[in-house]
Amino acid sequence: MVETMPTLPLWVDVTAMATTAIYGAATARSRNVPVSGTLFAGILGGAAGGIVRDLLLGLEPVAITGPYYFPWILLATVFGAFFFYKFISQKVPFLVLKGVAIGLLISIGCQKALMHDVPFVSIILCGVLTATVGGMAIDTLTRHRAAVFSQAHWFATALIIGSLVFYGLTMTTNFYLATAGATLTAAVLYVTSVLRNWPSPMWPKEDTDMSA
């Protein structure tokens, strides 16, 4: 299977990391983080998921070794910190950006795992971790409960289903259609769950208030 897998397009990988960097920097600024911390949050949000993915696959982290990643992540961080943070108060644009970002990230995470012929469960795990590690780090550093561990509507569900959609489509079509399908699925599920206030699945008789 590895021999027939296309190489992960550089521009897709960079775009996914840059999109997440915008979200990370905007989120940090909305939480009144100082300038240096905001910039660090954007860089961390953009690069951390890809770094963890590559390390798990036994590869050199491209976000550090590649010549194009860091400049674009830094540029996206500055944009998010200075401009996009204003959209946080506008719920739908901010949710759509987050949905697109996680959709792109699960796609590149799954694709790179597929290229290195790891088991199916590990492919899904790489997709989910690529999309969540940066956000978890930012939430932890700004003293917020990470979304995947909180009452965050269908965030985790969107990640898993999006990863499964990518895997199914890339096995039957091609990378670009699979990425479009996974991104659309993850974004629609996440945005719809927030707008309609669908709660995250909870254990029976457990308190659903985990926002703290």
Side-chain angles (χ1 to χ4, degrees):
M1 182 173 66
V2 176
E3 294 179 355
T4 62
M5 275 290 145
T7 302
L8 179 64
L10 175 65
W11 71 269
V12 176
D13 205 5
V14 172
T15 299
M17 292 186 183
T19 304
T20 315
I22 293 173
Y23 167 77
T27 299
R29 180 160 183 184
S30 73
R31 295 174 180 174
N32 297 318
V33 175
V35 173
S36 58
T38 300
L39 297 178
F40 180 71
I43 294 170
L44 185 63
I51 290 173
V52 169
R53 171 203 66 198
D54 291 343
L55 290 176
L56 287 175
L57 293 172
L59 307 171
E60 289 186 347
V62 293
I64 296 174
T65 60
Y68 301 105
Y69 291 85
F70 187 77
W72 280 104
I73 289 172
L74 183 58
L75 183 64
T77 295
V78 172
F79 176 78
F82 281 91
F83 302 105
F84 197 81
Y85 82 96
K86 299 175 183 178
F87 288 94
I88 290 182
S89 60
Q90 300 179 28
K91 193 172 184 179
V92 174
F94 192 65
L95 287 174
V96 169
L97 175 74
K98 185 175 181 179
V100 170
I102 64 174
L104 289 172
L105 287 172
I106 59 178
S107 297
I108 64 174
C110 291
Q111 175 69 6
K112 203 152 193 181
L114 275 165
M115 289 166 52
H116 291 83
D117 201 24
V118 301
F120 168 74
V121 175
S122 299
I123 293 169
I124 304 304
L125 178 64
C126 280
V128 172
L129 287 179
T130 303
T132 56
V133 169
M136 286 192 290
I138 293 170
D139 287 337
T140 300
L141 292 173
T142 56
R143 299 183 180 181
H144 285 69
R145 189 192 296 271
V148 72
F149 296 119
S150 65
Q151 185 51 244
H153 301 96
W154 283 20
F155 179 68
T157 304
L159 292 172
I160 296 170
I161 293 178
S163 297
L164 292 171
V165 167
F166 178 87
Y167 179 83
L169 288 177
T170 201
M171 291 292 99
T172 56
T173 57
N174 59 59
F175 170 78
Y176 294 103
L177 287 177
T179 299
T183 301
L184 183 63
T185 299
V188 168
L189 273 176
Y190 176 65
V191 173
T192 303
S193 73
V194 175
L195 295 179
R196 293 181 176 248
N197 200 29
W198 295 343
S200 300
M202 297 292 295
W203 295 107
K205 299 181 181 180
E206 290 290 334
D207 185 3
T208 58
D209 184 11
M210 292 182 61
S211 58

